[in-house]
């Protein structure tokens, strides 16, 4: 069995895919290639690679859609291939949590070097944080990301702020006013029910990960608290 890191290339232009496969193979990787988003997701489910190189402009779906669906079940590093500057803006602006992007036309050697450094970084992170998987709620403030039992939650900025605040003191009941003050830029303009609405969508996202848990408790008339008794593992 090959111990070479498997890299999945998702790219509909055969010329680019060939060049990439050649460069990766030469550099000691084990590349595989698919040309559509659908094939990519099938492959990713069946055999998650060490890293995905994902073209934004695919014939059946955008790379962004493929990325979102991938993040529902796997945390594989992703490098986007972008053809236009507005795509780059989206990668950066949406803070998708992709590991990197490369604009076409690109140098295959440079891309392979990026792949290598991302994998090195991923290996370091994995080695440095062995306990991460046992923390129900892991907050990465730099990337504004929260993982719930290892699953990346797709959060709006308010949902992110709410969960981060609640998680800062599990068990503590935060009033709606306090939450408005801490999370919203202009709390005066917002209403208590704004908090309720965002808590509701946040709960739904957490429920998708852990259907049997009730991580955010409502305290009637007072506010919300993060449960203190969440199990360490699902
Ligand atoms: Ca394309």
């Amino acid at each position: 069995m090959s111990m070479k890191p498997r890299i999945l290339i998702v790219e509909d232009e055969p010329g680019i895919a060939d060049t990439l496969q050649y460069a990766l193979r030469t550099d000691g990787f084990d590349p595989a290639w698919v040309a559509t988003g659908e094939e990519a997701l099938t492959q990713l489910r069946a055999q998650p690679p060490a890293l995905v190189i994902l073209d934004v402009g695919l014939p059946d779906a955008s790379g962004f859609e493929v990325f979102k669906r991938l993040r529902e079940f796997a945390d594989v590093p992703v490098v986007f291939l972008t053809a236009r500057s507005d795509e780059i803006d989206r990668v950066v602006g949406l803070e998708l949590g992709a590991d990197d992007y490369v604009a076409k036309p690109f140098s295959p050697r440079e891309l392979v070097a990026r792949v290598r450094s991302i994998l090195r970084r991923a290996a370091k992170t994995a080695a440095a944080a062995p306990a991460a998987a046992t923390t129900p709620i892991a907050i990465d403030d730099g990337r504004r990301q929260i993982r719930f039992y290892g699953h990346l939650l797709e959060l709006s900025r308010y949902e992110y702020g709410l969960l981060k605040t609640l998680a800062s003191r599990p068990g503590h009941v935060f009033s709606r006013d306090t939450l408005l003050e801490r999370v919203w830029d202009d709390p005066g303009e917002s209403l208590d029910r704004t908090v309720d609405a965002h808590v509701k969508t946040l709960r739904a996202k957490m429920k998708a990960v852990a259907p049997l848990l009730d991580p955010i408790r409502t305290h009637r008339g007072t506010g919300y608290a993060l449960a203190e008794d969440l199990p360490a593992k699902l």
Side-chain angles (χ1 to χ4, degrees):
M1 208 178 85
S2 166
M3 293 302 289
K4 294 175 179 174
R6 199 164 154 278
I7 310 291
L8 183 64
I9 302 164
V10 188
E11 167 62 66
D12 58 315
E13 289 170 59
I16 293 179
D18 279 351
T19 308
L20 269 178
Q21 288 193 91
Y22 178 78
L24 285 164
R25 208 171 282 126
T26 307
D27 220 58
F29 293 99
D30 172 24
W33 170 43
V34 294
T36 66
E38 209 49 58
E39 282 176 278
L41 287 164
T42 306
Q43 278 265 340
L44 287 163
R45 282 204 178 86
Q47 196 187 353
L51 183 143
V52 187
I53 298 174
L54 181 55
D55 183 31
V56 171
L58 295 168
D60 60 333
S62 86
F64 299 128
E65 288 164 38
V66 174
F67 179 80
K68 274 194 172 175
R69 287 176 58 190
L70 165 65
R71 277 292 174 265
E72 287 166 13
F73 61 89
D75 192 23
V76 185
V78 172
V79 177
F80 278 114
L81 290 183
T82 62
R84 303 189 312 262
S85 58
D86 59 314
E87 289 174 353
I88 298 175
D89 291 347
R90 275 197 75 192
V91 174
V92 178
L94 282 182
E95 296 175 21
L96 282 170
D99 293 274
D100 210 341
Y101 67 88
V102 172
K104 294 175 181 178
F106 57 85
S107 130
R109 291 181 65 93
E110 190 203 326
L111 178 52
V112 171
R114 298 247 197 123
V115 165
R116 193 168 280 292
S117 87
I118 290 167
L119 290 177
R120 206 180 300 129
R121 203 163 65 208
K124 244 187 215 166
T125 311
T134 62
T135 309
I137 294 175
I139 300 175
D140 181 344
D141 220 13
R143 307 180 106 182
R144 295 186 70 82
Q145 288 181 346
I146 300 182
R147 282 174 195 282
F148 185 45
Y149 291 105
H151 296 260
L152 186 64
L153 298 172
E154 290 264 353
L155 301 176
S156 70
R157 58 190 288 227
Y158 297 124
E159 291 162 355
Y160 174 87
L162 283 172
L163 185 51
K164 191 185 151 191
T165 305
L166 294 172
S168 67
R169 283 180 76 186
H172 177 81
V173 181
F174 289 88
S175 72
R176 290 175 178 80
D177 282 347
T178 303
L179 290 169
L180 275 174
E181 231 164 74
R182 295 215 187 160
V183 178
W184 270 260
D185 298 328
D186 193 357
E189 294 290 299
S190 305
L191 299 163
D192 286 4
R193 65 170 181 274
T194 311
V195 176
D196 298 340
H198 288 273
V199 167
K200 192 177 168 193
T201 54
L202 177 58
R203 272 183 173 142
K205 290 174 183 181
M206 297 176 88
K207 203 155 208 81
V209 174
L212 301 177
L213 296 182
D214 176 22
I216 299 176
R217 308 274 158 85
T218 306
H219 292 257
R220 274 186 191 288
T222 17
Y224 295 102
L226 185 75
E228 281 177 292
D229 53 358
L230 292 175
K233 281 184 171 182
L234 278 185

